[in-house]
Structures are given as structure tokens and as C-alpha cells.
Amino acid sequence: MTNFKVGIIGAGPSGLAMLRAFESEQKKGNPIPEIKCYEKQDNWGGMWNYTWRTGVGKYGEPLHGSMYKYLWSNGPKECLEFADYTFTEHFGQAISSYPPREVLFDYIQGRINKSNARDYIKFSTVARWVDYIEDKKQFRVVFDDLKKNETFEEFFDYLVVGTGHFSTPNMPYFEGIDNFPGAVMHAHDFRGADQFIGQKLLLIGSSYSAEDIAVQCYKHGSDEVTISYRSNPIGTSWPEGIKEKPLVTHFDGNTAYFKDGTTEDYDAVILCTGYQHKFPFLPDSLRLKTKNCLYPDGLYKGVVFNENERLIFLGMQDQYYTFNMFDTQAWYARDYMLGRVPFPAKAERDADIKNWMDYEASTETGAEHVDFQTDYIKDLISYTDYPAFDLDNVARMFKSWLKDKETNILNYRDQVYTSVMDGTAAEPHHTPWMEELDDSLNRYLQEKCEEERELV
Ligand code: FAD
Ligand code: NAP
Ligand code: MG
């Protein structure tokens, strides 16, 4: 049955994957439902659509973007590659394994530009509120056209939420931070290391944001960086100039006091304390309520909202895999909406969710988390025609990446991997990552510069 209407909120990698999944069905000559996608920014790409702004966007909406200048992929591109559109197809040449942000944005756009997806997307339009109308079995969604400053509503049989979950900061309070004399910000508002050159920084939190912002500030010339952890230190062997300390307990002026009784003075504080899953447009009965984890409770196959099976969430998991995981979810969601995948009664779905959650609870190490997400994707792929790829090999690359980071956090991005999609071996970047201060697409695609050629 295809005479139904699907609404997609968000045109980041997840929302775009949903559009692409339907497009691939249409290309086979099969009928597809009526589709509309709404994106509050004026372009697609989600996080990858970089903005210099902080706080609010140009129409006064809470700003989505958390990315910053000089951001390079923090995992090998071979682990996130689309199975139906390779890096080699896009760039026509082998590139390195850890491209900068602009290069990944270009790649995302390459696939979607080949389709008519743009025709389905209404930009600068924010979803304000959703109601489920029980007797019609439809969602009523209220939108604001931000450019026209006009409110309107639309009705959908299925609603796909692809609004991401690394946008609304989690901002804990530390006594005395209100009187800290230097800059205090959350990683969400960090736009690059430039303003911290020559400074002594305190980062609170010990996950990817802390690790990457520490390394970036070190690379671009901050004096010293301390990472303060609540549960576990990152634990890599840090270069002189970056260190880890237990949690800060309070501040007095520019002095931070730590749990181990030590104190130190800082110029700036960056809260790398993660994000909240936030859906201000959903009533609490339709809201996904979860912390950042690999299997959020209440989502059948990690996708279908178990309390209302016409509501779908994409990309709500914590992420080792990214673009190709969103694809496998979107392909599953498509076939689910088209009635092609088995959909058991609620008790069986509850049991399936519980199995996955128990499995996640039994994992501890990074390698075990990778295996978990690999198994999750294998399960999803088994239901659809998303091109199968060598997931065991991708899992091996992730584990090798984890080791590379432990060995040397400053040069793991110089390592190269081989695509499981088309066998292309990555080429080392022309400049060692620590020496490469220009992250532009142009510079990245430059041949080895003349000087280096002469030396070879
Ligand atoms: P998003 O990319 O967040 O897109 C969600 C979209 O929904 C946005 O365009 C937003 O404007 C829109 N939206 C939100 N609310 C509304 C609304 N109410 N109405 C209309 N539209 C709305 N992944 C990697 O693979 N490699 C990396 O190196 C990497 N680096 C990262 C660095 C940072 C700092 C962060 C925060 C994330 C990084 N990620 C990385 C993970 C990243 O989240 C994913 O790659 C990907 O962007 C997630 O896609 P998404 O579509 O689910 O969400
Ligand atoms: P995250 O992985 O969810 O980690 C949140 C961190 O905040 C954890 O270390 C947590 O500590 C800590 N925390 C939370 N509340 C705290 C509190 N009250 N006090 C002290 N610490 C607290 O979030 P993230 O690091 O921001 O990463 C988000 C995403 O961005 C990831 O997908 C990551 O890959 C991506 N990212 C990528 C890059 C890149 O280089 N490409 C750069 C940055 C981010 P506990 O362990 O104690 O809970
Ligand atoms: Mg299959």
C-alpha cells in the first residue's frame, strides 16, 4: 500500500537517508508514498552544515550546529562509507582515511545531489508541535515557515524524526563557575581553537568532545589543557601539555579545585559534558526519553516507537557507525512503512527491545560496544535490500582505530584503511595531520606540494 503520507523532520544525514531509501525504491519503478521533509536550517547536512553562529540561528531558533573549524573525522571514513555511493565514486581518486569536515560534507551532498531529494525538502521550516489524532490515525504537525514568519499545519500517516541528539547541551553546575573571570562555554558553542591560543584550558567531561577539543587546542597553540573526568579518564598517553585530573569540585575566581585535593588556575573552561535528547515539538506521550546509549529504550529495532508504531526515530543511538547505520535504519523504516517486514505483537517487541538492552548492559569495553553496534546493523540489514557489506571487517577497523588512538592520539589520523565497499586503499594525506593547519576542501585535494615533490 503506498497511498499514505510520510513526514520527515530534519534533513541531516538521517533525514537524507530516509529520502534516499524511498528514492532507491522509486528508481526500481515501484510506487512510493507521498513524502515531505522539513528542515529548520536553510540547507541540508545537519551537523555537517557548519555555522559560525552560536546561540540562535538567523531567525532566532535555538542553533543546531555543534561543529567547529578544523574538525577532522574522528573515525576512519572507511567505517562510515555509504554502501551505495563510495568515496572513490565521489572524489574520483583515493583520499586519506580521516578527512576534514568540509570534505565529508561534500561527500554527503554528492549522493543526495544525484537525486531529486531537494524537491521534497522545505528549508527554513521548523516543526513546532505534534499531536496524534487517534481516530484518523494521523499526526497533525504544526510548522513555522521561518522566512515568511507564517504558521501552517500538515497531516501525516507516518512521522519520521531525524533531528539528531548532539545539539542541546547538558550543562551541569559547578559551585563558583558563575564568577569565573574567563570564558566559560559548552562544546556546542566551541567554534575552533583560535581564541584559546596561548591560554590554559580546563575541559570538563572525558568523551569524544573533550578528547578532540583538547587535541585541537594543543595542535593550534594553547599553552596547556587539563581534562577533568567524572567516571573514567580517557586514559590515552597524552603528550606533555595535556593531562587528566579527577572531577572539579568547585571554583574560586579563576582557581579550580579538584576531587584529589589539587588546585590550578585557568584562563577558560569548556564544558564537554555531552548533550540531551531534546524534542520540544513532541508531547511527552510521543517523546523518546533516553540518555546517550547504544540501544535507547522503547524503540523496536532501534527505530519504531513502541508506544505509537507510526512514529519513527532515526539516528538516536550513540554512534560508532554513522552514515551507513542511518542508511540501514532508513531502509528498514521504508520497508516497515511499506508493510514488508514482520512486525510482531507488542509483547514480542518488548521482549526484543529487552534482549538488545540486556546485551548492551553486558558490554563494557570500546571493542564490545563496536561488536554490539555491528550486530545491530547486521540485524537491520537482514530485513532489507540495503547493499550488504563486510561488517566484520568494518568492526576490525574500528578496533584498530581504538588502538591507534591509544598508541598516539596526535597521529592516529595519519593511519590509512581500505574500503570494504570497493577495495580502495586510502592514500596518506600530503601533510602529517599535526602539521596541517588548513582544513579546507581545496587544500585537502591538492597534490603533494612542489617542495615535497622535490624532496621525494
Ligand atoms: P543531525 O546531523 O544533527 O541533523 C539533524 C537535523 O534536524 C538538523 O539539520 C537540524 O537543523 C534539524 N532539526 C532539528 N530540529 C528540527 C525541527 N524542530 N524542525 C526542523 N528541523 C529540525 N560523525 C561521524 O561520522 N564522524 C565525525 O567525525 C563526527 N563528528 C562529530 C562532531 C561533533 C562536534 C558532533 C556533535 C557530532 C559528530 N558526528 C560525527 C556525529 C553526527 O551527529 C552524525 O555524523 C550525523 O550528523 C547525525 O545525523 P542526524 O541526521 O541524525 O542528525
Ligand atoms: P558524550 O560522548 O555523550 O560524553 C559526555 C561526557 O560528559 C562523558 O564523559 C560524561 O562523563 C561527561 N559528563 C556528563 N555529565 C557530567 C557532569 N555532570 N560532570 C562531569 N562530566 C559529565 O558527548 P560528547 O563527548 O560531546 O560526544 C558527542 C558526539 O560528538 C560523539 O558522537 C562524538 O563522536 C562526536 N564528536 C566528534 C568529534 C570529531 O572529532 N569528529 C569531535 C567532538 C565530538 P561520564 O562518563 O561520567 O558519564
Ligand atoms: Mg539484505
Side-chain angles (χ1 to χ4, degrees), residues 93-158:
Q93 66 184 78
I95 60 170
S96 78
S97 280
Y98 293 86
R101 184 192 46 73
E102 209 180 302
V103 174
L104 284 176
F105 185 41
D106 199 67
Y107 171 63
I108 295 167
Q109 296 202 86
R111 180 173 76 158
I112 204 75
N113 271 332
K114 284 177 40 175
S115 74
N116 56 353
R118 220 168 242 284
D119 301 342
Y120 293 95
I121 307 173
K122 191 165 158 40
F123 290 103
S124 302
T125 301
V126 62
R128 280 272 176 256
W129 194 248
V130 177
D131 289 311
Y132 185 66
I133 301 165
E134 200 66 58
D135 52 347
K136 284 173 115 183
K137 293 209 174 321
Q138 280 193 326
F139 297 94
R140 168 183 165 268
V141 186
V142 177
F143 296 97
D144 257 327
D145 180 324
L146 299 170
K147 253 191 208 157
K148 292 189 185 154
N149 200 9
E150 277 174 17
T151 302
F152 65 99
E153 62 180 29
E154 291 265 356
F155 292 84
F156 304 102
D157 301 290
Y158 286 91

Side-chain angles (χ1 to χ4, degrees), residues 9-16 38-41 43-49 64-68 71-75 80 99 104 108 125-128 143 162-167 187 209 275 280-281 314-316 319-323 326 413:
I9 307 179
S14 292
L16 293 176
Y38 302 84
E39 167 54 55
K40 77 176 189 180
Q41 303 186 66
N43 197 11
W44 56 29
M47 275 300 152
W48 299 93
N49 171 21
H64 189 78
S66 302
M67 282 205 180
Y68 37 87
L71 182 138
W72 296 66
S73 179
N74 65 345
L80 57 75
L104 284 176
I108 295 167
T125 301
V126 62
R128 280 272 176 256
F143 296 97
T163 51
H165 61 94
F166 294 130
S167 189
S209 291
Y275 294 88
F281 51 91
L314 299 179
M316 290 301 149
Q319 295 154 15
Y320 285 88
Y321 291 83
T322 52
F323 304 161
F326 309 146
R413 285 180 168 107

